[in-house]
C-alpha cells in the first residue's frame, strides 16, 4: 500500500520500538537515512534503533554504529530506508516483516506493508526529511549531518543527473540546521587516500573502449586492489570513472568481489538514452536508468565478451 | 564606498548603457555573473553589454560571447563582477573608470566608486542574484543557467570549503528557474576529455611530497600539456588535485604559462589552518585563505626550492 509522507508520519507517531533496516553494500543514503530517522524518532520520545549492517564501512560506521540495536531489543515497528526489494536486505534483516518502506527507487517491489516511494527524489534523504518535517522533529546538527551525508552521496556531491531543486533545497536546510558540510565534503568528496590515487591512476590507464568510444570497460581485480593497498572505502563510487569520459554513453566496471573470488560485480553507468537498468535486467540485475548493476561468475574475458555482445544491438 | 544589494539595485535602475567587466583568466563565476547581470538588466529594459574578455575559453564562450559590446558602444555605467582589484582587469578594460563593483573577495581594493563586497558569499553569483532580486528581474532559464554556472564552478560543484547554505539555496532557486543543471554538471564537473584523463594520470604519478606528506607539489610544463593534447579548458581546476590527497595541508601546482614560456603560475591550495593568501602575498600574489596564486619567472627547481624554504617556518 502506498502512502504519503504525512500518512507515514502519522503511523510512526502512533507506534513505538522502531527497528530501522538498511540495504546490502550500504551507501551514504541508506545509512544517513537510517541515522536521521532513528535520531528523529528519539527526538520525539520514541525508542528507536538501527539494525547492525555488517557491511558498513569505517567511513560511515561512526554515524550509525552508536545507534545499533543490541540482541535484546524487541522491535514492534520495522522501517526500511532506501531498500528497493526484500532481497537487498542483509541476511540478519531477512526475518523481519517490514511495516514501512521509505524509498525513492522506481523499482521498489512493495515488499513492505506500507510504502512511501518517491522516484522523483534524488535521494531517499528527501523522503526521510519530509517525514521528519511532518513529525515536527527539531532537526539537530547530528540529524542534519546524517541527511546531508545521504543527499550529497546519492547525488555525487550534486553532480549526477538525479540532482534537482529538492536536493539543493534539502542541502541548504541541512547547512542551516548545522550540518558540518565542510567536514563531510572534505572527507567524502575531496580527500583521496594514496591508495585511491594509485587505484585511479591504474584504472585510467587500463580502460578499454569499444563502439567508437561510446562504450568503456574498466576492470578491477582483487590483485589490483591489493597492490594499491586499497580497502572497501577506497572503492566507493569508483564505477563513476569510466562514464565520466567524453563520448562514453555506456560504461562498465567489472570488479572482483572480496568475499567470493572469481565472482564479479558489474556496475553499469550510462548517459541519457542508454538505460542502465534495462541492460542489467537482462542479466538478473537492476537499478536506475543511469546506474545499475549485476553479478556474474565467469572470467573477465568472458564477461567482457558478454557485455560487448549485448551492446551490439544498442550500437548497431 | 560600500553599498548593499538594495542600494546597488537602485543605482542600476537609475542609470543605463551598461558595460560589464570580468577578470583576467576568467572563470565560471566572473563570466556567469556577467552574463546573468547583462541579461537581467536587459530584462528590465536597459541597454547592457559585456566587455569582450580575450581569455574566455571555448567552454564559456557560448554563454558570454553573444553579449559582447561592439566597438561602437559608448558605455555610461561600468560594472565589474568578481574583480578584486583593478590590476586583475584585462588590458582592454584598464581604461574604464568602474562605477560599481559586485564582488565577494575579502581582498577587494575598493577601486570602484561604489562596491558591494560580500566576503561571506561562496560565489559572486550570490551578490548578483541578490541585486537581480532587488531589481525584480523575472529570472529566465538563461539567467538561471548563468548564475548556476557561476555558483557551481566557484564551489567546485558544492564540494569546496566555501560551500554554504546560501550557495545551496541559490542553486535550488536556479534549478526551479529552469537552469539546465544536468547539462552543466555533466559538461563541467563530470565529463573529462581524454586529454584531461591523460594529464590527470601524469600529474597523479608525479606529485612530490614534503614535510611528512603535509605539502604536495605538482608540476605542469608546456611539454606535458602538449604531449597530452590538452588545451586551456582541460586545465580548469587542475590545481585542486594535489590538495585532495589525504594528509596534505598545503598544495602547490607549478604551471608554465602558454604565452610566456619560462614563466610559471603557482597555484596554492590549502586545508584550514594554512593561509594560502598569506603565503601568496609573500611573493606578490593574493587570493582566498584556501586558494591563492602568484607568478614567478625561474626554473621549476628554483621555484620548488623557494616554496619549500618558505614552508619551513610553517611546518617547523
Amino acid at each position: 500500500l502506498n502512502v504519503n509522507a504525512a500518512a507515514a508520519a502519522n503511523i510512526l507517531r502512533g507506534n513505538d520500538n522502531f527497528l530501522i533496516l538498511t540495504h546490502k553494500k550500504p551507501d551514504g543514503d541508506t545509512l544517513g537515512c537510517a541515522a536521521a530517522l532513528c535520531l528523529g524518532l528519539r527526538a520525539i520520545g520514541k525508542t528507536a534503533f538501527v539494525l547492525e549492517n555488517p557491511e558498513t564501512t569505517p567511513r560511515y560506521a561512526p554515524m550509525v554504529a552508536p545507534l545499533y540495536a543490541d540482541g535484546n531489543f524487541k522491535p514492534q515497528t520495522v522501517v526500511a530506508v532506501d531498500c528497493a526489494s526484500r532481497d537487498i536486505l542483509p541476511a540478519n534483516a531477512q526475518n523481519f516483516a517490514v511495516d514501512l518502506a521509505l524509498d525513492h527507487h522506481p523499482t521498489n517491489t512493495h515488499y513492505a506493508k506500507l510504502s512511501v516511494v518517491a522516484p522523483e527524489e534524488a535521494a531517499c534523504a528527501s523522503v526521510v526529511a519530509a517525514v521528519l518535517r511532518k513529525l515536527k522533529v527539531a532537526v539537530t546538527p547530528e540529524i542534519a549531518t546524517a541527511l546531508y551525508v545521504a543527499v550529497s552521496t546519492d547525488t555525487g556531491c550534486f553532480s549526477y543527473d538525479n540532482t534537482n531543486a529538492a536536493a539543493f533545497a534539502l542541502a541548504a536546510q541541512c547547512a542551516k540546521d548545522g550540518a558540518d558540510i565542510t567536514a563531510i565534503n572534505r572527507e567524502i568528496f575531496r580527500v583521496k587516500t594514496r591508495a585511491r590515487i594509485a587505484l585511479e591512476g591504474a584504472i585510467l590507464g587500463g580502460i578499454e573502449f569499444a563502439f567508437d568510444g561510446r562504450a568503456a570497460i574498466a576492470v578491477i581485480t582483487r590483485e589490483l586492489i591489493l597492490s594499491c593497498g586499497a580497502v572497501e572505502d577506497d572503492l566507493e563510487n569508483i564505477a563513476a570513472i569510466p562514464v565520466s569520459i567524453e563520448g562514453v554513453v555506456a560504461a562498465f566496471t567489472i570488479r572482483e568481489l572480496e568475499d567470493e573470488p572469481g565472482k564479479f560485480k558489474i556496475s553499469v553507468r550510462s548517459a541519457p538514452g542508454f538505460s542502465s537498468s534495462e541492460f542489467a535486467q537482462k542479466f538478473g540485475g537492476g537499478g536506475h536508468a543511469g546506474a545499475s548493476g549485476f553479478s556474474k561468475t565467469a572470467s573477465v574475458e568472458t564477461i567482457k565478451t558478454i557485455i560487448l555482445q549485448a551492446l551490439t544491438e544498442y550500437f548497431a
Side-chain angles (χ1 to χ4, degrees), chain A:
Chain A
L1 205 62
N2 263 317
V3 293
N4 63 18
N10 275 332
I11 288 153
L12 294 174
R13 205 181 281 113
N15 286 277
D16 205 347
N17 296 310
F18 293 94
L19 185 68
I20 301 163
L21 311 183
T22 55
H23 64 68
K24 278 193 240 180
K25 292 214 171 285
D27 56 15
D29 197 20
T30 195
L31 296 173
C33 283
L37 181 62
C38 184
L39 293 165
L41 288 168
R42 289 182 185 183
I44 58 165
K46 302 291 185 184
T47 298
F49 293 99
V50 175
L51 182 70
E52 179 175 352
N53 189 321
E55 292 183 304
T56 302
T57 59
R59 164 165 290 161
Y60 297 120
M63 179 173 71
V64 285
L67 305 172
Y68 283 162
D70 71 18
N72 300 319
F73 178 62
K74 296 275 174 276
Q76 293 176 326
T77 317
V78 177
V79 184
V81 287
D82 196 42
C83 300
S85 61
R86 173 161 274 289
D87 61 343
I88 211 174
L89 297 175
N92 63 341
Q94 289 291 346
N95 288 333
F96 292 104
V98 180
D99 297 294
L100 177 66
L102 303 178
D103 193 19
H104 72 125
H105 293 90
T107 51
N108 187 289
T109 60
H110 293 272
Y111 59 91
K113 286 174 205 160
L114 297 171
S115 307
V116 183
V117 181
E120 72 280 11
E121 299 294 358
C124 187
S126 288
V127 180
V128 170
V131 170
L132 294 181
R133 260 195 304 277
K134 295 291 180 188
L135 283 172
K136 299 203 186 342
V137 168
V139 175
T140 61
E142 203 180 354
I143 295 173
T145 297
L147 289 172
Y148 184 77
V149 165
V151 68
S152 62
T153 54
D154 240 33
T155 57
C157 201
F158 310 95
S159 75
Y160 295 162
D161 288 351
N162 62 347
T163 307
N164 57 18
F168 282 125
L170 175 57
Q173 190 58 50
C174 290
K176 280 180 205 154
D177 288 335
D180 194 352
I181 61 173
T182 303
I184 296 166
N185 283 351
R186 186 173 282 276
E187 193 184 329
I188 302 183
F189 301 110
R190 283 166 49 208
V191 174
K192 293 180 181 181
T193 60
R194 298 241 193 148
R196 171 75 179 214
I197 294 276
L199 195 59
E200 284 194 9
I203 290 169
L204 291 179
I207 290 173
E208 291 175 42
F209 297 92
F211 301 102
D212 294 327
R214 288 176 289 169
I217 301 179
V219 178
I220 307 175
T221 59
R222 290 302 306 160
E223 194 185 341
L224 175 63
I225 291 170
L226 293 172
S227 76
C228 294
V231 295
E232 191 61 30
D233 272 339
D234 295 317
L235 295 163
E236 195 167 342
N237 263 333
I238 202 97
I241 291 178
V243 78
S244 73
I245 302 171
E246 194 172 37
V248 172
V249 173
F252 305 84
T253 303
I254 303 171
R255 172 177 153 196
E256 193 170 9
L257 297 177
E258 184 176 4
D259 39 2
E260 295 169 85
K263 185 171 179 181
F264 292 83
K265 162 126 191 248
I266 298 94
S267 298
V268 189
R269 297 291 183 274
S270 60
F274 183 99
S275 171
S276 289
S277 52
E278 274 180 31
F279 190 93
Q281 277 162 17
K282 291 186 186 184
F283 301 100
H288 301 279
S292 70
F294 60 98
S295 300
K296 196 92 195 160
T297 304
S299 72
V300 169
E301 286 311 313
T302 301
I303 294 171
K304 279 186 195 170
T305 303
I306 289 168
I307 291 170
L308 293 173
Q309 277 174 349
L311 283 175
T312 306
E313 57 183 281
Y314 288 98
F315 292 125

